[in-house]
Amino acid sequence: MIVRILGEGQYDLDDGALDALNGLDTQIESAIEAGDEDMFRTALQGLLAAVRSSGTHHAADSLDESDLILPPPDATIDEVRDLLGDDGLIPG
């Protein structure tokens, strides 16, 4: 699957990485529900770091569509709240 981090680029990840990412996504949702900025910032940085470490850079000149789009590292809690779907940032 192809995951885009806005403002950074795309990464190729195995489908098996989704379970770990979903756990981190749940932490982001909990932080947003609680309005806990510190927990939100830690969870978002953890999610993005997991994508970077689990994936490999997708070719920059590729026109392939992303399967998932994640906010940039400096996104605010309100910006990410607007991006959340029923399943969080990562479906599953």
Side-chain angles (χ1 to χ4, degrees), residues 18-84:
L18 275 182
D19 288 340
L21 297 180
N22 269 319
L24 295 164
D25 187 35
T26 299
Q27 292 177 14
I28 291 173
E29 289 181 274
S30 296
I32 290 173
E33 288 175 18
D36 187 329
E37 181 71 30
D38 290 337
M39 187 166 95
F40 163 75
R41 185 72 36 217
T42 299
L44 178 60
Q45 297 306 320
L47 176 64
L48 299 180
V51 169
R52 293 179 193 114
S53 66
S54 301
T56 57
H57 280 281
H58 193 78
D61 60 349
S62 168
L63 298 176
D64 295 331
E65 188 174 325
S66 301
D67 297 299
L68 293 173
I69 299 175
L70 299 177
D74 61 348
T76 67
I77 198 167
D78 290 331
E79 290 169 334
V80 174
R81 181 181 293 118
D82 290 342
L83 294 175
L84 289 178

Side-chain angles (χ1 to χ4, degrees), residues 3-28:
V3 178
R4 174 178 293 280
I5 298 175
L6 291 173
E8 186 171 315
Q10 292 178 306
Y11 294 84
D12 293 312
L13 276 83
D14 291 333
D15 290 343
L18 275 182
D19 288 340
L21 297 180
N22 269 319
L24 295 164
D25 187 35
T26 299
Q27 292 177 14
I28 291 173

